[in-house]
Amino acid sequence: MRRFFTFGRVAAAVGAIAVGMTAGLTGAFAGDTPAPKDAKVYIIWPNDGTVIEGGKFWLRMGARGIGVAPAGVEWPNTGHHHVIINSPLPPFDEDIPADNNHLHFGAGQSEARVELPPGTHTLQLLMGDHNHVPHDPPLMSKKITVIVP
């Protein structure tokens, strides 16, 4: 399923996802859900340094060694993507925030239409478990930079 996310206009989607989020986890470094050994997440497209005319693009997200499942579905060796935009990674022992800089793909999407305003932007993936908490150890992509003229 393809979804269109406009930077600055994700409040309704974020609100719906936030309802399912939980708190009170005990891990000091990461959540309680173990990450599969050698699992990786990565940004397929755009590439680091890509110039995106008009600011609209398809973000394509990849995962190796871990399955992608919707939020709220507790299956072993699965999680769902979150993209961190222009922000540092959140604490690994808490729910991943749900705001304009932390987009949740809780339906299990591996691609989404994103729109960014003019400027230089950083993007980084962070895999979350069924409760939107990073795995142990956390699975994150390389941070990339894209430019919208």
Side-chain angles (χ1 to χ4, degrees):
M1 174 188 316
R2 293 183 174 180
R3 299 256 169 113
F4 183 77
F5 288 90
T6 303
F7 189 77
R9 299 195 64 207
V10 297
V14 168
I17 292 167
V19 171
M21 295 174 68
T22 63
L25 296 171
T26 59
F29 177 68
D32 295 330
T33 304
K37 184 179 179 192
D38 299 324
K40 294 177 150 185
V41 296
Y42 51 94
I43 296 172
I44 298 169
W45 203 91
N47 296 317
D48 191 25
T50 296
V51 175
I52 301 172
E53 297 293 334
K56 294 179 184 179
F57 64 98
W58 281 101
L59 172 66
R60 293 192 166 84
M61 302 165 276
R64 181 176 302 142
I66 186 167
V68 177
V73 176
E74 190 173 359
W75 289 333
N77 301 320
T78 64
H80 63 279
H81 292 291
H82 299 80
V83 64
I84 313 303
I85 302 174
N86 300 329
S87 186
L89 290 168
F92 295 139
D93 61 341
E94 298 176 9
D95 295 350
I96 299 168
D99 58 34
N100 293 334
N101 298 98
H102 303 83
L103 302 183
H104 290 240
F105 297 100
Q109 305 96 308
S110 59
E111 64 179 18
R113 187 81 166 151
V114 175
E115 182 175 354
L116 297 172
T120 300
H121 304 280
T122 60
L123 305 173
Q124 187 171 21
L125 296 180
L126 179 59
M127 186 67 81
D129 69 6
H130 59 285
N131 287 322
H132 302 280
V133 177
H135 292 77
D136 185 13
L139 300 172
M140 68 205 85
S141 71
K142 172 186 160 200
K143 185 181 282 190
I144 68 164
T145 300
V146 295
I147 299 143
V148 178

